[in-house]
Amino acid sequence: MTTVLRMMSPNLINGRNLYKGSQILVKGEESKSRSHWRFSTKEVSLRTPQATVSSGVSSTTTEPKGREFDTTTYEDNMLANYVPVYVMLQLGVITNDNVLENAEKLTKQLKKLKQSQVDGVMVDVWWGIVESNGPKQYQWSAYRNLFEIVQSCGLKLQAIMSFHRCGGNIGDDVNIPLPKWVLEIGETNPDIFYTNKIGNRNEECLSLSVDNLSLFSGRTAVEMYRDYMKSFRENMEDFISSGVIIDIEVGLGPAGELRYPSYTETQGWVFPGIGEFQCYDKYLRSDYEEEVRRIGHPEWKLPENAGQYNDVPEQTGFFEYSNGAYLEEEGKFFLSWYSRKLLLHGDQILDEANKVFLGCKLKLAAKVSGIHWWYKTESHAAELTAGYYNLKNRDGYAAIAKMMRRHHAILNFTCLEMRNTEQPAKAKSGPQELVQQVLSCGWREGIEVAGENALPRFDRDGYNQVILNARPNGINRNGKPRMFGFTYLRLSDRLLSEPNFTTFKTFVKRMHANQEYCSEPERYNHELLPLERAINDESFEKLVEATEPIDPLLWLEETDMSIRPFESVLSLLKSTFFRNKS
């Protein structure tokens, strides 16, 4: 047995619980709580201990006696827990002049990145670059050159339909505006942009109020988005049919996220400000006035007491915890209208995307922002200004999950790397609880859930938190719940330098459930099937009513496949030693 153990691959050993032992699987006695797999040297096995897990951040485990079962499906059992990892490319990989610069450097970076066994990359396909010359004048050559390099490196591709400006958000290091001809329309009609209560316009993206208004050379905003995606499909058909492009993430707002641009650095916002409502352009004003007249309250107005970007909730009349306007009938109606408009916006654009890519073997996706600050307050002010009507007694994300189910879309969520203890106390943040709430909404709705880190991280603590959220119950026989994929933000020289790259490679290995890169997605239940037409089994009005709060699914306190202290350093020293010896 000792000889056999020495022959076992150390890469198959569990991250936190044990780093020595064999590959043989043993399933522990069933418990009433969720179970997960664990390696054991005593039984030379992988076990399922009895575990008490909670929706919070605490758990205890005990280990009952294991019992053996068929070991021939070991690899498949582990592949059921495989979470593919992608890496976001640089924001400006295609320049404003629609040129792929430094192709040689990028190729070298991607080849090195491939050594980490990542599954693919993600890239913004900027509307402001491709259609910059005029309406329907699409220029795809630079992106085709980029995709050819990605394909040559053996990587899969997630493409973002980026209908927003780059610049003004956290982490933006380049400036890519909306198409020039669209901005020119905005010069004569600034109400096409989101507007705050004092009239400041935000040119990061078009207001959802113009989704169905023919203000753009005879087209509506939704028609422009549709035509852009249609041209993308026509010009990238070979990359789609060959399986290189596997995912189309549809931009639905600022930073590509389904939200209002309530917190923007170019407007003076600084974390953890509550942000501001963005519904004061003439079109949304008119819509709201029509709605309040319809219900017999023409005297109701858009909020004027919701504070400014950098206020705290209790400083405002609207968000004050005990008797703020958000608790009154008028405030509740406004928040329902505000969030409903956002949901309808996402529903309509995803429906167009569904029609455009119908029959393609790929996935649709849309991103929801991880607004974690002020989450642990009664009014959830930062979420409310962004359009997420989420309170202790009202779920603001269930309806979004239902909407995405209609279009067979993946819910992509951010801030997966964050822990509560890392946030300043004054922000009253709850990223861990927020992630649990949103991911649980998706899984309960039966849709796929994916995620990203909100800020660049190179440390084991950040990686371990991602691994935990990717598999909240740890390794288990059916691999559920499990995230559909994770995209790391972002490719850089710093990521590819040591010891960061070695740590990242270890992270990828853990996300893959300690398996080697798998080139056959169907083996880990990710087979790409032709996209089907949207489901219309319930009305939009019924969908909006999904607000009943439900406790999140169970979560372990920490991942059962953690990256250990100094593990990456030791791995780097080991690889350096053998490289020098050879």
Side-chain angles (χ1 to χ4, degrees), residues 127-128 165 175-190 192-193 202-206 216:
W127 181 34
R165 176 190 68 198
N175 183 54
I176 303 172
L178 299 184
K180 182 180 178 181
W181 57 274
V182 173
L183 295 176
E184 289 173 349
I185 294 172
E187 291 175 1
T188 58
N189 182 9
I192 67 173
F193 301 118
N202 190 320
E203 297 183 358
E204 184 176 353
C205 59
L206 296 177
F216 307 94

Side-chain angles (χ1 to χ4, degrees), residues 463-472 555-559:
Y463 287 139
N464 284 341
Q465 189 63 28
V466 172
I467 298 167
L468 170 61
N469 289 324
R471 291 185 296 260
W555 237 261
L556 293 173
E557 180 181 0
E558 57 182 285
T559 176

Side-chain angles (χ1 to χ4, degrees), residues 129-179:
I129 292 177
V130 174
E131 200 179 353
S132 62
N133 292 336
K136 296 187 179 182
Q137 296 181 34
Y138 307 107
Q139 299 292 330
W140 297 107
S141 59
Y143 278 101
R144 284 195 57 83
N145 293 338
L146 171 62
F147 294 175
E148 287 171 359
I149 291 175
V150 172
Q151 183 178 30
S152 70
C153 293
L155 296 165
K156 301 298 185 183
L157 184 66
Q158 299 174 313
I160 309 174
M161 303 291 101
S162 296
F163 300 117
H164 61 284
R165 176 190 68 198
C166 179
N169 284 301
I170 298 173
D172 287 355
D173 55 4
V174 297
N175 183 54
I176 303 172
L178 299 184

